[in-house]
Amino acid sequence: METELAELEAQLPAGCLITKPETMEAYRRDRANDPHPGMPLAVVRATSTADVQATVRFAAAHGIPVVPRGAGSSLSGGSTAVDGGIVLSVDRMREITIDPVTRTAFVQPGALNAEVKAAAAEHGCWYPPDPASFEFCSIGGNVATNAGGLCCVKYGVTTDYVLGMTVVLADGRAVTLGGPRLKDVAGLSLTKLFVGSEGTLGIITEVCLRLIPAQRLRTTLVATFPTLDDSTNTVLEITKTMRPSMCEFMDRVTINAVEDDVHMGLDRDAEAMLIIQSDEPAEHAGREIADIERICRDNHAGEVFSTDDPDEGEQFIAARRHAIPAVEKTGTILLEDVGVPVPLLGRLVDGIAEIAGQRDVTIAVMAHAGDGNTHPLVVFDPTDAAQEERAHTAYGEIMDLAMGLGGTITGEHGVGRLKQPWLGAYLGDDVYELNHRIKAALDPQGILNPGVVFNREQAAAAPSAAHDPSASAAAS
Amino acid sequence: METELAELEAQLPAGCLITKPETMEAYRRDRANDPHPGMPLAVVRATSTADVQATVRFAAAHGIPVVPRGAGSSLSGGSTAVDGGIVLSVDRMREITIDPVTRTAFVQPGALNAEVKAAAAEHGCWYPPDPASFEFCSIGGNVATNAGGLCCVKYGVTTDYVLGMTVVLADGRAVTLGGPRLKDVAGLSLTKLFVGSEGTLGIITEVCLRLIPAQRLRTTLVATFPTLDDSTNTVLEITKTMRPSMCEFMDRVTINAVEDDVHMGLDRDAEAMLIIQSDEPAEHAGREIADIERICRDNHAGEVFSTDDPDEGEQFIAARRHAIPAVEKTGTILLEDVGVPVPLLGRLVDGIAEIAGQRDVTIAVMAHAGDGNTHPLVVFDPTDAAQEERAHTAYGEIMDLAMGLGGTITGEHGVGRLKQPWLGAYLGDDVYELNHRIKAALDPQGILNPGVVFNREQAAAAPSAAHDPSASAAAS
């Protein structure tokens, strides 16, 4: 393969192709920390759409898997390397062009979410989606996973801001879908199909994002609760009539992990804490926050604190964003991303507490409560094999619990490699087969991010009769 | 075929299958008024998902085209009957179930948009999308075309509110995609793919819609302008810093057609009129409307009038909604739906005026100005063959103009049969071929709404080499 790789190298700018094992090491794992990542054949650090095309054409010609990679911050193993594949990193493709008149941004996929926000802000514009990892996750990854975040409860998820993109298909062709038009229904909604496709249908090399006018100042309210039910009832009552711009939840384990780490004076005895923001105009925000405070108190809140000082508010948000790293310091974690219809949030959270008790493991729960999207973190000591096994059991049980409540196995992180084994059960045979049909139509060789979303063997074979469940399901 | 139809009839509730030509007549045309609609083999008025499945299975077994039909209000010929096909009407499927706690609606496709709004309002909830035809268009059609409307400028289009659906596939299987979860990234975004697919990939038999808390009271401002540029500059300046909940435009021809019809005392000499709403909280709305008024005056507005009286405001909106029927009274019309990036709205509107002059035809322009989405109506006298020909020339030229400005041939009405001939040029060979690949994967027989979006012959043959442009385009 060395001769062939030399051919590819000749088509790329100097230094873009990496085959040195020590240098490739940094590109094997993502933030899901797979203990057994693949050993790639090569890493390509693309600088342009043309570089991506050359790489994909090479891979297609030789039947080599391609794992696209943005900032490597996937929490579900979406950019873990596979043996003998090419890791196609876009971390050098970071150009951002803001058009403040059209209120759009053209962004290369390696640009960080925070960089897009900052560039937009320079022009009085705002790019809302804000994963907790916004300071170190890439826009390409955000679009590939349809990432969520904290402000989704009012402002929606990534797909709501993607107007168009340039994408390199599995045969190396580059196509441009959509563009800076707020409404466009000419042809199938292919832009929306590629959003959230986790690099399995094509490789995004530029996105056109919708921006909106700058967010107003936020008022932040923090409240603690003596029971989980009190906190989830509060969430339901608030979202029934109001549209807070943030509605986050942390349970007692999470509160304590954060407090251990940053010493903010959080109430360690509270069973739950909510962090809620309003970005309504000043006069109205005051009234809205007063209403929210009343609802919190009606639901037995202990402390309730609110502030319209942006820095003071930001401290609490920072505590919430810090929750995953803080819990990670207490042990090895298995990170969930289950979501349920908002009214069932209480049953989900209670059920997780039960699983923690039954399996005798620690589970920290934080949530984008207003969306019903939770991140239970199952914590275990990797030197205790029995505990590790119980943790893995609990991890599966939490997904089963969410599905039983009409919920999803992943609300915003993506299926990746970690949740792939659960996807078939979640979708059911017919819908899973429909996913495979689209995959087979767009990536017939199955070279794009194999093992992500689609089972590696099924993806390669679909939609052949051997793996096509439609025959048995046709009677449904 | 009579024996076979009897078999289908036996599987449907009594009276669902119609073959009497006089009764079928009402199901041949939609609001695009095709002068030569097809003569269907039969009309099925389905009452359930099972009825739709039985019909599609029958059609699949016999290779018969199926034209899905909601309220028949398509402006692009999306539900015009085809010869020898089955018109599958869902006008009897109108159940609406509101869940005010989850803030979702489960709706059968035949329910009218206005009925969904009303049912939601009973529970203090709001379903925002509001096509001008909301009183007589169906939710199924709205989802199939990803319909827009007046409030999109702040609240987005139909796809932003579709959380899930039940859809009958081309082989008769029914699948449920998504559901009442605000975030769900498990598997490809199939829900979003079916939204806007115009009945070419499957037949929607139920949708799960996201609702939000009731809209606040609106303040309405109406302003007239001495030139088109003054009005479009005003739009740009407003949307740069504010998020009005409506920003509509009517040109002089439209103003006069409405005034002829309803005598509201509109300024017949104005070149343009804007109707703008703010739904900000009361104190803030006052300030926002004052800012908007200042911007209007800075841009040479003649009259500027504002009101926070809902009924008075509604009169102006009603005038805007009445614009198409009013212009229709002045002659036969060809209705456009072109859109451009918002900053190019002025150039589009000016260019349309030029085309009207060059072709010596009347063109009335109304627009969802804040979205850059316009509805030029080319008016002609059907008894004047030369004028009719010039009108058709102008119709094509307007789409060419929009494409030249980086715009789309359809912003919210759909491609249907009327704009199908322009779609290939708009999308380009590669993207159009990508559309065909999805179509072939999901409807290999090409029985679903043939002639809509896809050229009838190409759709049937794709992705065969004869119509696959990928070979020649692979070098792109």
Side-chain angles (χ1 to χ4, degrees):
Chain A
M1 190 52 67
E2 264 178 52
T3 326
E4 289 87 345
L5 275 177
E7 273 170 42
L8 172 59
E9 190 167 24
Q11 294 176 62
L12 299 171
C16 285
L17 186 86
I18 300 166
T19 51
K20 226 176 156 177
E22 311 88 87
T23 316
M24 291 203 295
E25 196 58 28
Y27 295 88
R28 292 177 65 203
R29 285 178 192 80
D30 53 33
R31 211 164 159 249
N33 263 322
D34 188 329
H36 308 294
M39 177 49 75
L41 180 70
V43 172
V44 172
R45 294 185 70 196
T47 65
S48 65
T49 298
D51 291 353
V52 174
Q53 290 184 272
T55 306
V56 173
R57 281 204 191 104
F58 175 83
H62 298 280
I64 297 171
V66 178
V67 175
R69 182 185 180 93
S73 62
S74 172
L75 292 164
S76 56
S79 49
T80 305
V82 299
D83 283 331
I86 294 175
V87 174
L88 181 41
S89 174
V90 294
D91 65 315
R92 281 186 180 169
M93 295 177 66
R94 298 174 89 121
E95 272 174 34
I96 301 173
T97 310
I98 304 291
D99 174 355
V101 188
T102 319
R103 289 190 313 288
T104 51
F106 281 89
V107 183
Q108 287 188 321
L112 302 185
N113 178 301
E115 293 170 346
V116 176
K117 280 186 191 299
E122 277 179 30
H123 296 275
C125 294
W126 182 37
Y127 174 68
D130 59 347
S133 58
F134 78 103
E135 288 167 304
F136 56 87
C137 64
S138 73
I139 281 291
N142 288 179
V143 173
T145 55
N146 189 16
L150 283 64
C151 72
C152 307
V153 62
K154 182 167 184 177
Y155 291 98
V157 293
T158 301
T159 195
D160 299 320
Y161 294 87
V162 181
L163 296 175
M165 62 175 66
T166 298
V167 61
V168 174
L169 304 177
D171 60 5
R173 271 184 296 162
V175 295
T176 297
L177 306 171
R181 298 171 288 278
L182 297 181
K183 287 175 178 168
D184 187 356
V185 296
L188 299 176
S189 306
L190 297 181
T191 301
K192 298 282 187 192
L193 176 65
F194 278 92
V195 177
S197 64
E198 304 191 31
T200 65
L201 302 182
I203 295 173
I204 297 164
T205 60
E206 184 174 74
V207 289
C208 173
L209 301 171
R210 178 183 193 173
L211 306 176
I212 61 177
Q215 190 179 22
R216 283 184 287 246
L217 288 180
R218 279 83 72 200
T219 306
T220 307
L221 177 143
V222 184
T224 55
F225 295 86
T227 72
L228 292 173
D229 286 353
D230 286 330
S231 69
T232 54
N233 288 338
T234 299
V235 170
L236 266 190
E237 208 171 317
I238 291 170
T239 55
K240 204 188 295 180
T241 55
M242 285 174 262
R243 304 194 74 196
S245 56
M246 182 182 296
C247 184
E248 295 290 311
F249 165 97
M250 300 201 289
D251 75 351
R252 198 162 62 85
V253 179
T254 309
I255 295 168
N256 279 277
V258 171
E259 185 60 23
D260 284 346
D261 208 38
V262 296
H263 315 293
M264 293 185 67
L266 302 178
D267 178 0
R268 288 177 176 277
D269 295 325
E271 281 299 323
M273 180 171 130
L274 294 177
I275 307 170
I276 300 165
Q277 278 194 337
S278 169
D279 67 353
E280 292 289 317
E283 316 85 334
H284 189 69
R287 217 161 48 230
E288 187 160 286
I289 286 289
D291 286 344
I292 292 172
E293 179 165 347
R294 182 186 48 71
I295 293 172
C296 288
R297 295 212 185 276
D298 287 352
N299 284 284
H300 319 110
E303 295 178 46
V304 183
F305 170 79
S306 71
T307 176
D308 56 8
D309 180 277
D311 294 336
E312 207 172 21
E314 187 51 39
Q315 284 177 30
F316 290 99
I317 316 302
R320 163 63 188 88
R321 285 208 194 90
H322 190 65
I324 292 183
V327 175
E328 279 176 330
K329 291 191 181 171
T330 69
T332 299
I333 64 165
L334 294 171
L335 173 57
E336 293 276 7
D337 178 36
V338 292
V340 289
V342 184
L344 299 175
L345 183 63
R347 284 179 58 191
L348 178 68
V349 172
D350 289 343
I352 293 169
E354 264 175 53
I355 292 172
Q358 279 163 6
R359 296 297 164 195
D360 190 22
V361 288
T362 301
I363 304 180
V365 182
M366 57 207 74
H368 307 302
D371 299 319
N373 179 208
T374 71
H375 298 313
L377 277 66
V378 187
V379 188
F380 66 93
D381 173 356
T383 64
D384 179 342
Q387 195 185 55
E388 179 165 355
E389 199 187 318
R390 295 200 307 276
H392 278 279
T393 304
Y395 182 72
E397 285 173 340
I398 292 171
M399 280 188 266
D400 293 339
L401 170 67
M403 287 191 263
L405 293 170
T408 179
I409 57 171
T410 175
E412 57 178 15
H413 292 171
V415 174
R417 288 176 176 79
L418 284 191
K419 289 189 174 132
Q420 200 286 323
W422 280 269
L423 186 63
Y426 171 63
L427 294 178
D429 288 347
D430 282 348
V431 176
Y432 200 32
E433 186 263 341
L434 210 53
N435 276 265
H436 277 95
R437 271 202 261 170
I438 303 284
K439 169 72 171 174
L442 267 55
D443 177 21
Q445 285 190 91
I447 60 168
L448 296 178
N449 223 2
V452 165
V453 181
F454 302 95
N455 177 294
R456 225 176 141 167
E457 288 69 37
Q458 282 181 323
S464 81
H467 298 92
D468 182 350
S470 64
S472 62
S476 79
Chain B
M1 190 52 67
E2 264 177 53
T3 327
E4 289 88 346
L5 276 178
E7 273 171 44
L8 173 58
E9 191 167 23
Q11 296 176 59
L12 299 172
C16 285
L17 186 87
I18 300 165
T19 51
K20 227 175 156 180
E22 312 87 88
T23 315
M24 291 203 295
E25 195 58 29
Y27 294 89
R28 292 177 64 203
R29 285 178 192 79
D30 53 33
R31 212 164 158 249
N33 262 323
D34 188 329
H36 309 293
M39 176 50 75
L41 179 70
V43 172
V44 173
R45 292 185 70 196
T47 66
S48 65
T49 298
D51 291 354
V52 174
Q53 290 185 273
T55 307
V56 172
R57 281 206 191 103
F58 175 83
H62 299 280
I64 297 171
V66 177
V67 176
R69 182 184 179 94
S73 63
S74 172
L75 293 163
S76 56
S79 50
T80 305
V82 300
D83 283 331
I86 294 175
V87 174
L88 181 42
S89 175
V90 294
D91 65 316
R92 282 185 180 170
M93 295 176 65
R94 296 174 90 122
E95 272 174 35
I96 301 172
T97 310
I98 304 291
D99 174 354
V101 188
T102 320
R103 290 190 313 288
T104 51
F106 280 90
V107 183
Q108 288 188 319
L112 302 185
N113 178 299
E115 292 170 345
V116 176
K117 280 185 191 301
E122 277 178 32
H123 297 274
C125 294
W126 182 36
Y127 174 68
D130 60 346
S133 57
F134 78 103
E135 288 167 304
F136 55 86
C137 63
S138 73
I139 281 291
N142 289 179
V143 174
T145 56
N146 189 16
L150 283 64
C151 72
C152 307
V153 62
K154 183 167 183 175
Y155 290 99
V157 293
T158 301
T159 194
D160 299 320
Y161 294 88
V162 181
L163 296 176
M165 62 174 68
T166 298
V167 60
V168 174
L169 304 177
D171 61 6
R173 269 183 297 162
V175 295
T176 297
L177 306 170
R181 298 171 287 278
L182 297 181
K183 286 175 177 169
D184 187 356
V185 296
L188 300 175
S189 306
L190 297 181
T191 301
K192 298 283 186 189
L193 176 65
F194 278 92
V195 176
S197 64
E198 303 191 33
T200 65
L201 302 182
I203 296 173
I204 297 164
T205 60
E206 184 173 75
V207 289
C208 173
L209 300 172
R210 178 183 192 171
L211 306 176
I212 61 177
Q215 190 178 23
R216 285 184 286 245
L217 288 180
R218 277 83 72 200
T219 306
T220 308
L221 177 143
V222 184
T224 57
F225 296 87
T227 72
L228 292 174
D229 286 353
D230 285 329
S231 68
T232 55
N233 289 337
T234 299
V235 170
L236 266 190
E237 208 170 319
I238 290 169
T239 55
K240 204 188 296 179
T241 55
M242 285 174 264
R243 304 194 74 196
S245 56
M246 182 182 296
C247 184
E248 294 290 310
F249 164 99
M250 301 201 288
D251 74 350
R252 199 162 61 85
V253 178
T254 309
I255 294 168
N256 278 276
V258 170
E259 186 60 24
D260 284 347
D261 208 38
V262 294
H263 314 293
M264 294 184 65
L266 302 178
D267 179 0
R268 287 177 176 277
D269 295 326
E271 281 299 322
M273 181 170 129
L274 293 178
I275 307 171
I276 300 165
Q277 276 194 338
S278 169
D279 67 354
E280 292 290 318
E283 316 85 333
H284 189 69
R287 218 162 45 229
E288 186 159 287
I289 288 288
D291 286 344
I292 292 173
E293 180 165 347
R294 182 185 48 71
I295 294 172
C296 289
R297 295 212 186 275
D298 288 352
N299 284 285
H300 319 109
E303 294 177 47
V304 183
F305 170 79
S306 70
T307 176
D308 56 8
D309 180 279
D311 293 336
E312 206 171 23
E314 187 50 39
Q315 284 178 30
F316 289 100
I317 317 301
R320 163 62 188 89
R321 285 208 193 89
H322 189 65
I324 292 182
V327 175
E328 280 176 329
K329 290 191 181 171
T330 69
T332 299
I333 64 164
L334 294 171
L335 173 57
E336 293 275 8
D337 178 34
V338 292
V340 289
V342 184
L344 299 176
L345 183 63
R347 284 178 59 189
L348 178 67
V349 172
D350 289 343
I352 292 169
E354 264 176 52
I355 292 170
Q358 281 163 7
R359 297 297 164 194
D360 190 22
V361 288
T362 300
I363 304 180
V365 182
M366 57 208 73
H368 306 301
D371 299 319
N373 179 210
T374 71
H375 298 313
L377 277 67
V378 187
V379 188
F380 66 92
D381 173 356
T383 65
D384 180 342
Q387 195 185 57
E388 180 165 354
E389 198 187 319
R390 294 200 308 277
H392 278 278
T393 303
Y395 182 73
E397 285 174 340
I398 291 171
M399 280 188 268
D400 293 340
L401 169 67
M403 286 190 265
L405 293 170
T408 178
I409 57 171
T410 175
E412 57 178 13
H413 292 170
V415 174
R417 288 176 177 78
L418 284 191
K419 291 193 173 130
Q420 200 286 323
W422 280 269
L423 186 63
Y426 171 63
L427 294 178
D429 287 347
D430 282 347
V431 177
Y432 200 31
E433 185 263 342
L434 210 53
N435 276 264
H436 278 94
R437 270 201 262 170
I438 303 285
K439 170 72 170 173
L442 266 56
D443 177 21
Q445 284 190 93
I447 59 168
L448 296 178
N449 222 3
V452 165
V453 181
F454 303 94
N455 176 294
R456 227 177 139 165
E457 288 70 38
Q458 282 181 324
S464 80
H467 298 91
D468 183 346
S470 64
S472 62
S476 80

